[in-house]
Amino acid sequence: GEDVEQSLFLSVREGDSSVINCTYTDSSSTYLYWYKQEPGAGLQLLTYIFSNMDMKQDQRLTVLLNKKDKHLSLRIADTQTGDSAIYFCAESMSGNKLVFGAGTILRVKS
Amino acid sequence: GAVVSQHPSWVICKSGTSVKIECRSLDFQATTMFWYRQFPKQSLMLMATSNEGSKATYEQGVEKDKFLINHASLTLSTLTVTSAHPEDSSFYICSATGRGARDTEAFFGQGTRLTVV
C-alpha cells in the first residue's frame, strides 16, 4: 500500500541549512510535493518535483529525488525563524489524491 | 496563485448536533475537491474525493452517512459532520484542483478546527 515516512523532528540554528528527509513506497507517483503548515493554518505548497527529475532548486529551497531508493529531501538554506513549521512531503496518486507523511517539525533556534 | 477559502476557521458544537464546513475556490473552477482530516501531531488523512456534480468517493473506514459531502457547483464543496461526537473533534482541511489551476497543484484551504463538547 501507499506509505510515506518522514523524520519527526529537526532542530537547527538560524542561518544553518535544514535537511528534511522523506521516503515513499509508490514508484508510480508522478509528482512529489513539499508542504509547509504553520500552527492552526492550512497547508502551503512550497515546491514540487516531477518524478523524472533528480533535483529542483527554488531560491532557498533545494529538492533532491532519488527515485531508485524512493527518497526525497528538502534542503532549506540559511534557515530563518520564520521557517519554523511542520513540513509534509506527499506523493501523488491516481486521481490527484495525495498521500502525506506524518510531518517533520522544524524548530529554528535564534 | 489560486485561492481556496474554508469556513469557518473554528467551530465548537454540542454532541449530537451537525456542523457544516464550506470550501470555496475563489478564482478557479474546482472540478475536484478533497477533504482531509488531521489529528493532533499526525498527518493528513484523506477522507473523500468529490467531483463536481457527482457523488463523493469515500476512503475505506470513513462513514459516508456521518460525513456528508456535497459538491454541487464548481466553486463550492461542503462537508457536514452529522450527529457529532467528541471523537469527531479534529482539524478538517479541504483542497481543490481544477480548470484554471495548475494541474500539478492542489490548493488547500485554511482548515477548520472542530471541537465537539
Side-chain angles (χ1 to χ4, degrees), chain B residues 103-115:
Chain B
D103 292 340
T104 55
E105 187 166 353
F107 297 91
F108 283 81
Q110 308 94 313
T112 298
R113 184 163 302 283
L114 170 64
T115 302

Side-chain angles (χ1 to χ4, degrees), chain A residues 12-107:
Chain A
V12 300
R13 291 195 179 280
E14 191 174 20
D16 289 349
S17 292
S18 306
V19 179
I20 303 171
N21 295 302
C22 172
T23 57
Y24 61 98
T25 55
D26 193 329
S27 59
S28 65
S29 295
T30 308
Y31 292 96
L32 295 127
Y33 302 83
W34 283 103
Y35 283 88
K36 176 183 180 182
Q37 185 182 34
E38 297 186 20
L43 273 71
Q44 172 196 356
L45 178 65
L46 286 179
T47 187
Y48 64 92
I49 189 168
F50 190 50
S51 60
N52 69 353
M53 297 170 63
D54 298 324
M55 186 184 87
K56 181 178 179 181
Q57 186 155 1
D58 184 1
Q59 299 182 335
R60 292 192 296 126
L61 305 178
T62 303
V63 178
L64 296 178
L65 175 61
N66 181 328
K67 197 171 181 181
K68 174 175 168 288
D69 294 338
K70 299 190 186 72
H71 182 265
L72 182 73
S73 68
L74 173 68
R75 179 177 180 271
I76 305 173
D78 187 25
T79 313
Q80 303 297 308
T81 54
D83 294 325
S84 294
I86 303 176
Y87 291 80
F88 292 94
C89 67
E91 60 173 338
S92 64
M93 310 300 293
S94 61
N96 282 330
K97 292 191 296 186
L98 298 180
V99 176
F100 288 84
T104 299
I105 298 171
L106 174 63
R107 191 182 82 158

Side-chain angles (χ1 to χ4, degrees), chain B residues 48-107:
Chain B
T49 304
S50 73
N51 293 298
E52 184 264 337
S54 61
K55 289 184 178 180
T57 302
Y58 290 81
E59 296 298 302
Q60 193 173 6
V62 178
E63 298 174 61
K64 61 181 181 182
D65 294 330
K66 180 167 186 60
F67 299 100
L68 301 179
I69 292 172
N70 183 284
H71 190 171
S73 78
L74 284 170
T75 59
L76 174 65
S77 176
T78 60
L79 166 68
T80 301
V81 182
T82 62
S83 187
H85 288 137
E87 57 264 31
D88 298 326
S89 298
S90 192
F91 193 54
Y92 294 86
I93 304 178
C94 69
S95 74
T97 62
R99 295 192 287 271
R102 286 185 301 191
D103 292 340
T104 55
E105 187 166 353
F107 297 91

